[in-house]
Amino acid sequence: MPSSFESDSMGLRTPPVQVSNSLEDSSTSARQIDFEIQLKGSRAGVFNPKVLVIGHRGCGKNNATSSQGEAVATRRPSIRENTIASFNEAVRNGVDFVEFDVQVTKDGHPIIFHDTHIIVEDMVPRKIGDITLQEFLGMGPQKGFDKAERSLYRKARDGTVSQWTATTEDPLCTLEEAFKCVDPSVGFNIEVKFDYIEETSDLELQRVIHCTMEIVRQHSNGRKIYLSSFHPDAAHLLGSMQSTYPVFFLTLGGLYRFNDERRNSIQAAITVCQQSQLQGIVTEVNAVLHEPSLISLVKEAHLWLFTFGELK
């Protein structure tokens, strides 16, 4: 596979789902069955029940420059994550779905961007929910010589902030643009993103999910879609506010600790799914590699299991 397709792509391991034979059991059973049908239609009608490839942020995430100043672009080619170019390049590399992060601007527009804060030259972190669509689209790479570029910066794990570049650049984009400009043969995993640390109000959860699902409703046009979130209350709302698309709960599986105990283990994730009638779990891969018996617990709960991340 070409080097532009990065190795941290999200992937599906064996789908451990056991679906009720009755469509009348509940809306969650109907969504599970429909999801099986969608998956069987992937990759031009070829269904491999063992592995699906899901492009993480398209062709993979962009790591921030390290504290030693070594840019990722010097180690391997990269495409700016969560952009139309990255999604379509992932399609050309044969993925079944692309995964991306959706947030909503202050003026109600769902955009695609991973970090909850965006940083430009003035080094002032701005929360996505506090800026307008026009402000957001004016940051980062631009198309057209009449538009000035506001260079993006990103915080590394060690806390340092450095300029964020990629070998192949492309402008930031909206969810609507993704529906219109990304090859319709590829499915979308839409992760609805919220702040990891700060508490999100119920009103903000509802605002973000309503705005996001309205764009999905208007532009899905039969595309394969499933929804996901790290926020347990958001995952619940995604399932209760619509009955068309499967909903998955994202978890780091206990590799990091949060104040909300629902986010701290796969066992807790199973409970979240059962209480909110979700269709599956997406976990950091090392959580199940360190404790493979957890896979059986997910199977016994009749849930799908997806994994993401890099082997450590």
Side-chain angles (χ1 to χ4, degrees), residues 231-285:
H231 196 300
D233 296 328
H236 175 79
L237 283 173
L238 284 168
S240 63
M241 291 173 68
Q242 56 83 40
S243 58
T244 303
Y245 303 108
V247 181
F248 284 63
F249 180 51
L250 281 151
T251 179
L252 296 177
L255 297 180
Y256 302 90
R257 303 297 296 179
F258 298 93
N259 291 331
D260 189 338
E261 286 298 325
R262 296 175 295 176
R263 303 176 62 184
N264 286 337
S265 68
I266 290 178
Q267 294 91 330
I270 291 172
T271 300
V272 168
C273 290
Q274 291 172 330
Q275 291 177 343
S276 298
Q277 294 188 316
L278 309 183
Q279 283 63 59
I281 293 169
V282 186
T283 181
E284 213 282 344
V285 65

Side-chain angles (χ1 to χ4, degrees), residues 3 9 11 23 47 50 52 69 73 96 100 103-104 115 127 129 152 178 182 217 220 229 256 266 275:
S3 58
S9 297
L23 281 171
F47 178 56
K50 295 296 182 183
L52 290 174
D96 301 284
F100 51 78
Q103 301 181 67
V104 174
D115 300 359
K127 196 170 184 177
L152 292 176
V182 176
R217 185 189 67 80
S220 57
S229 182
Y256 302 90
I266 290 178
Q275 291 177 343

Side-chain angles (χ1 to χ4, degrees), residues 4-6 8-10 54-63 78-90 97-103 110-118 128 136-137 139-141 143 152 154 164-166 168-179 181-182 187-193 196 228 230:
S4 61
F5 191 84
E6 299 190 8
D8 67 346
S9 297
M10 185 180 292
I54 302 170
H56 189 197
R57 308 182 203 173
C59 283
K61 68 179 181 181
N62 304 145
N63 292 317
S78 61
I79 301 175
R80 181 165 292 280
E81 67 179 46
N82 277 335
T83 60
I84 302 299
S86 187
F87 300 146
N88 281 325
E89 181 63 18
F97 286 78
V98 290
E99 178 270 352
F100 51 78
D101 311 275
V102 170
Q103 301 181 67
I111 57 85
I112 299 177
F113 194 74
H114 176 269
D115 300 359
T116 54
H117 294 72
I118 190 167
I128 296 298
F136 174 76
L137 294 178
M139 299 175 182
K143 284 186 177 177
L152 292 176
R154 196 172 215 178
W164 176 10
T165 61
T168 301
E169 293 287 10
D170 201 47
L172 305 180
C173 67
T174 66
L175 178 59
E176 181 176 344
E177 287 177 305
F179 275 113
C181 301
V182 176
F188 282 176
N189 167 205
I190 300 174
E191 179 191 336
V192 185
K193 192 87 175 181
Y196 282 110
S228 60
F230 276 103

